[in-house]
Amino acid sequence: MKHADIDTILGIFRGGEEFLLTTHVNPDGDGLGSELALRAGLVRAGKRVRIVNHSPIPGFYRWMDPGGLVERYDPATHDPVIAQAGTIIILDTNQPDRIRSLEGPVRASKAHRVVVDHHLDPHPFADTYFIDDSATSTGELVFRLLSAYLRGPLGPEIAVALYTAIMTDTGSFRYPRTGAETHRIAARLIEEGADPPSIFSAVYETWSPGRMRLLGEALDTLTVSGNGSIAHMVTTRKMFAGTGTTEIETDTFSVYPMNIGKVRIGILFTELADGVKISFRSKGSIPVNRLAQEFGGNGHLNAAGARLHDVTLDVVVADVLRAARKYLDNTLTSHDGTP
Ligand SMILES: [Mn+2]
């Protein structure tokens, strides 16, 4: 696997004409903000850029794309575009199956495939990797790239997109890896036109009453085990139907179990039409990315996820809780060296 330095990526930017950007299924603020910022920067430099995603933009992020620049993948429209793109940049994931319906066409394209990401354990499917798993967010990496590429001011469009990316992936500047550099970048983005209260409000103060009821029902399922160290919650298809919500609206629910003082591992199980999604959180040195890997997922030391297909919720919950208990043993610490 070829890990590139910043100059290699800048060379790819300068040498390219047609770029296609994409991110993971159910895109979050980091995936979308990174795409929109990078698009704006490349367009300013005279490049032709399209953003094509597997999923539509979730409702609470739709304000980020007033111009409708993010296209939803449609084979008839986009397969030729993907085939002809000179460069494809995959943002905020390093696993090809996470781009879902784009995986086949992206793999088949003759384009140069670049991954820009901050997750551990990249899969070898692209041509060039720009990965820093000590970064809070892909937005931080795009900031580094665009600061070097554009030289002058970034401007409000890029600043708002990147501030949103970093704010959402750091849990509003409180998750591990949020350091002085992250705040320096945030300060620069504010100077360039990002307004923290309005961005916070646009992302987080947008719930429907149904989403709040869904959270209430999810909290009702909260169960503490492992001598008080593990807390898990469940959301089901029935809850989504009853509250008029979808699985995307469980985004951020996984933080609630962590609010319990003694809890060191928090798990949210989300029942899907075709399986179960699991979100893991941990405190300290407990490597939930390794716990997630046991179930085919990946992520960071303190935040990770997995998706299982053709399984039932009850069986998954029992299996995962059994596996999670092993990680409470303090001798079992991370091999990946991240703080
Ligand atoms: Mn991210």
Side-chain angles (χ1 to χ4, degrees):
M1 190 172 301
K2 197 170 141 203
H3 280 277
D5 60 14
I6 192 161
D7 289 330
T8 306
I9 305 298
L10 298 183
I12 291 169
F13 287 177
R14 291 189 190 104
E17 302 257 312
E18 308 238 332
F19 292 80
L20 186 131
L21 313 182
T22 192
T23 187
H24 50 82
V25 57
N26 296 335
D28 56 7
D30 192 26
L32 292 164
S34 296
E35 288 181 317
L36 288 162
L38 187 54
R39 180 193 175 279
L42 290 168
V43 165
R44 199 181 301 167
K47 312 297 181 179
R48 286 189 295 278
V49 188
R50 286 175 84 159
I51 301 173
V52 181
N53 291 342
H54 170 84
S55 311
I57 301 182
F60 41 96
Y61 287 127
R62 227 163 273 156
W63 64 271
M64 293 177 74
D65 183 26
L69 300 168
V70 178
E71 301 172 55
R72 188 175 180 191
Y73 173 73
D74 165 63
T77 309
H78 296 117
D79 282 351
V81 179
I82 295 171
Q84 284 154 31
T87 310
I88 297 172
I89 304 179
I90 299 131
L91 294 150
D92 202 38
T93 183
N94 57 45
Q95 293 186 304
D97 62 343
R98 296 268 292 150
I99 60 174
R100 289 296 169 90
S101 53
L102 277 81
E103 178 179 0
V106 165
R107 280 186 187 270
S109 173
K110 290 193 290 290
H112 190 85
R113 283 165 291 255
V114 181
V115 168
V116 177
D117 184 40
H118 67 127
H119 294 94
L120 299 165
D121 310 314
H123 286 223
F125 74 102
D127 302 293
T128 301
Y129 291 81
F130 186 68
I131 291 184
D132 179 354
D133 57 41
S134 72
T136 59
S137 51
T138 301
E140 223 179 285
L141 303 183
V142 172
F143 174 86
R144 283 184 219 162
L145 292 168
L146 289 181
S147 301
Y149 183 55
L150 298 173
R151 287 157 199 266
L154 298 174
E157 185 183 1
I158 292 174
V160 168
L162 292 183
Y163 187 91
T164 307
I166 295 168
M167 180 192 79
T168 52
D169 254 31
T170 56
S172 303
F173 304 95
R174 67 202 156 113
Y175 291 161
R177 288 175 293 146
T178 304
E181 179 60 14
T182 308
H183 283 280
R184 272 190 284 270
I185 293 170
R188 167 91 190 275
L189 297 172
I190 292 166
E191 286 163 358
E192 295 258 8
D195 180 50
S198 63
I199 293 174
F200 182 88
S201 181
V203 174
Y204 293 117
E205 296 173 344
T206 57
W207 287 29
S208 64
R211 189 176 183 192
M212 192 61 79
R213 283 202 305 277
L214 177 69
L215 174 62
E217 292 183 21
L219 289 171
D220 254 352
T221 71
L222 189 113
T223 308
V224 177
S225 60
N227 252 335
S229 297
I230 300 174
H232 77 272
M233 302 194 316
V234 174
T235 53
T236 64
R237 310 285 303 158
K238 204 173 154 212
M239 292 179 192
F240 298 139
T243 56
T245 55
T246 66
E247 61 170 276
I248 295 170
E249 289 166 89
T250 63
D251 185 46
T252 71
F253 284 13
S254 55
V255 302
Y256 289 94
M258 306 311 286
N259 289 337
I260 302 169
K262 268 190 74 188
V263 165
R264 299 178 70 212
I265 298 177
I267 308 169
L268 172 68
F269 297 93
T270 303
E271 188 183 25
L272 310 174
D274 60 345
V276 177
K277 176 182 154 190
I278 317 168
S279 303
F280 300 94
R281 294 289 182 276
S282 70
K283 293 173 188 158
S285 61
I286 296 178
V288 282
N289 57 308
R290 285 174 58 201
L291 174 56
Q293 278 164 15
E294 293 193 33
F295 298 91
N298 83 342
H300 305 288
L301 185 72
N302 297 120
R307 267 171 193 259
L308 300 175
H309 297 281
D310 304 317
V311 290
T312 60
L313 191 59
D314 293 352
V315 173
V316 171
V317 170
D319 287 353
V320 169
L321 290 177
R322 196 175 312 115
R325 270 175 226 121
K326 295 183 303 203
Y327 292 81
L328 295 173
D329 177 354
N330 282 326
T331 60
L332 192 64
T333 53
S334 172
H335 290 312
D336 57 45
T338 46

